[in-house]
């Protein structure tokens, strides 16, 4: 009697770079579909990444030499790593693109800041880019670098432009406890949001169905101003709502970085992730996300 031989199915390889909070939420969605390799520059995280279902690789996107061992390793890539904190160019994406294979499929997680201030307009993915700050200009540079790589290597690049990410442990609780003011309604800006778990799901959908060179807004259905968001979080946590100040008074009290976030107003249309990627949001708006999860302990 002949023994039946079963052939083990080899999963496609996937490389994930920048495996922080969103990456760790993404790993459980990937590990049954791909053989996942997770890049970290912190060797102490290897056990954590293995426990989450990834094969850890210690490398540094700031060092091209350290990336040589990744060359040709995987044809699916998720690029979550931010650019460096200085300059106008993203050296990390340049270093990465030098070792990526041909005919790959890459999802790059960018930022909504590439649009700059849109005056509260409802915008889609065809909006002209107008970054106003160095960190957003570095993101535009990263997008352009990866587009050139994709064209030259006949690869598929899907770009996710992501707004403010929130979750039970990613809320502005310290700000609320400190009583940091928000803008008065006449000066306030529209903001956009996405729950961290929904973002992980959108990345998975973009890997499967993202179109070549396509941009997608990874945003939920929320339509609210920034102070309304702070109010919603304060109410959910039983904290005082922040006081309101005019912009001229507020700019004397907050950091330049925080003020820059309070100077860009836009509303992001998200129809493309639904119609092309088949995304069904678990938390369609901030109120859903705040109501569905137990909140993490408030910082002291």
């Amino acid at each position: 009697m002949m023994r039946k031989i079963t052939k083990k199915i080899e999963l496609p390889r996937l490389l994930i770079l920048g495996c922080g909070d969103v990456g760790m939420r993404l790993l459980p969605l990937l590990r049954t579909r791909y053989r996942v390799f997770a890049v970290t520059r912190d060797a102490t995280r290897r056990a954590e990444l293995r426990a989450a279902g990834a094969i850890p690789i210690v490398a540094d996107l700031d060092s091209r030499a350290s990336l040589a061992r990744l060359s040709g390793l995987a044809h699916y890539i998720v690029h979550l790593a931010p650019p460096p904190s200085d300059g106008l160019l993203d050296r990390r994406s340049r270093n990465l693109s030098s070792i990526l294979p041909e005919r790959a499929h890459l999802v790059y997680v960018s930022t909504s800041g590439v649009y700059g201030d849109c005056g509260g307009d409802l915008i889609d993915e065809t909006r002209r880019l107008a970054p106003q700050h160095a960190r957003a200009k570095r993101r535009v540079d990263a997008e352009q670098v990866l587009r050139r790589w994709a064209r030259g290597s006949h690869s598929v690049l899907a770009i996710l432009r992501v707004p403010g990410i929130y979750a039970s442990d990613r809320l502005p609780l310290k700000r609320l406890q400190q009583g940091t003011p928000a803008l008065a309604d006449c000066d306030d800006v529209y903001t956009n949001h996405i729950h961290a778990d929904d973002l992980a799901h959108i990345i998975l959908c973009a890997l499967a169905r993202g179109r070549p060179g396509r941009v997608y807004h990874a945003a939920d259905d929320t339509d609210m101003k920034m102070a309304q968001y702070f109010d919603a979080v304060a109410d959910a946590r039983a904290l005082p709502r922040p006081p309101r100040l005019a912009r001229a008074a507020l700019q004397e009290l907050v950091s330049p970085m925080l003020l820059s976030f309070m100077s860009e107003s836009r509303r992001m249309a998200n129809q493309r992730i639904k119609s092309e990627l088949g995304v069904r949001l678990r938390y369609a708006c901030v109120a859903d996300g705040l109501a569905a999860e137990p909140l993490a302990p408030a910082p002291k």
Side-chain angles (χ1 to χ4, degrees):
M1 185 175 180
M2 295 184 63
R3 182 186 301 174
K4 186 177 181 181
I5 299 175
T6 57
K7 186 177 181 180
K8 186 177 180 180
I9 298 175
E10 182 72 21
L11 294 176
R13 294 181 174 190
L14 181 143
L15 184 66
I16 182 167
L17 303 113
C19 205
D21 175 57
V22 173
M24 294 302 289
R25 294 170 188 264
L26 178 60
L27 283 178
L29 307 180
L30 295 174
R31 62 192 181 197
T32 60
R33 297 173 170 87
Y34 302 92
R35 188 181 183 201
V36 182
F37 297 82
V39 172
T40 179
R41 61 182 177 183
D42 182 359
T44 64
R45 294 196 64 212
R46 286 181 292 191
E48 175 192 12
L49 292 168
R50 283 195 195 96
I55 300 169
I57 299 177
V58 178
D60 188 347
L61 282 172
D62 290 323
S63 169
R64 183 174 296 190
S66 77
L67 302 178
R69 61 190 297 203
L70 306 179
S71 182
L73 179 65
H75 279 75
Y76 292 89
I77 304 100
V78 175
H79 185 3
L80 287 159
S85 57
D86 62 327
L88 298 179
L89 303 179
D90 181 19
R91 300 183 299 276
R92 293 172 179 171
S93 288
R94 282 174 167 75
N95 289 341
L96 176 65
S97 64
S98 70
I99 58 91
L100 292 176
E102 291 195 346
R103 303 189 185 282
H105 194 137
L106 187 149
V107 175
Y108 177 57
V109 178
S110 185
T111 174
S112 60
V114 297
Y115 295 115
D117 179 34
C118 300
D121 289 348
L122 179 65
I123 63 169
D124 64 16
E125 290 86 348
T126 64
R127 178 82 176 202
R128 181 179 61 87
L129 303 187
Q132 295 177 286
H133 304 284
R135 62 181 181 274
K137 292 176 181 179
R138 290 191 289 270
R139 290 288 192 172
V140 172
D141 180 66
E143 290 187 10
Q144 293 172 343
V145 166
L146 295 173
R147 284 183 185 277
R148 288 195 295 270
W149 160 78
R151 288 194 297 268
S153 64
H154 310 287
S155 297
V156 174
L157 168 68
I159 297 172
L160 303 182
R161 292 187 180 144
V162 181
I165 305 170
Y166 77 99
S168 63
D169 55 352
R170 296 183 65 148
L171 296 173
L173 300 181
K174 186 174 181 180
R175 173 194 170 115
L176 291 170
Q177 288 178 320
Q178 293 174 340
T180 304
L183 284 168
D185 188 67
C186 59
D187 290 328
D188 206 0
V189 296
Y190 282 98
T191 58
N192 306 272
H193 306 271
I194 190 67
H195 192 283
D197 287 342
D198 274 330
L199 177 55
H201 177 63
I202 293 169
I203 294 170
L204 183 70
C205 292
L207 277 168
R209 293 185 281 275
R211 299 182 183 180
R214 199 69 157 163
V215 174
Y216 299 93
H217 285 171
D220 67 15
D221 299 335
T222 302
D223 188 346
M224 63 166 48
K225 292 185 176 181
M226 185 178 288
Q228 292 175 304
Y229 172 67
F230 293 141
D231 284 350
V233 175
D235 292 349
R237 189 60 189 228
L239 290 171
R241 290 185 172 189
R244 304 287 197 274
L245 287 179
R247 181 175 296 277
L250 186 68
Q251 65 186 8
E252 302 296 327
L253 301 174
V254 301
S255 68
M257 178 171 284
L258 180 55
L259 188 65
S260 72
F261 285 116
M262 304 173 101
S263 302
E264 297 184 359
S265 184
R266 52 187 170 262
R267 293 175 293 150
M268 298 171 69
N270 64 0
Q271 184 57 38
R272 190 176 282 183
I273 62 169
K274 299 174 182 178
S275 61
E276 293 188 11
L277 301 185
V279 169
R280 297 181 64 181
L281 294 168
R282 181 177 180 184
Y283 305 109
C285 62
V286 166
D288 294 338
L290 293 176
E293 290 190 280
L295 291 173
K300 296 181 180 179

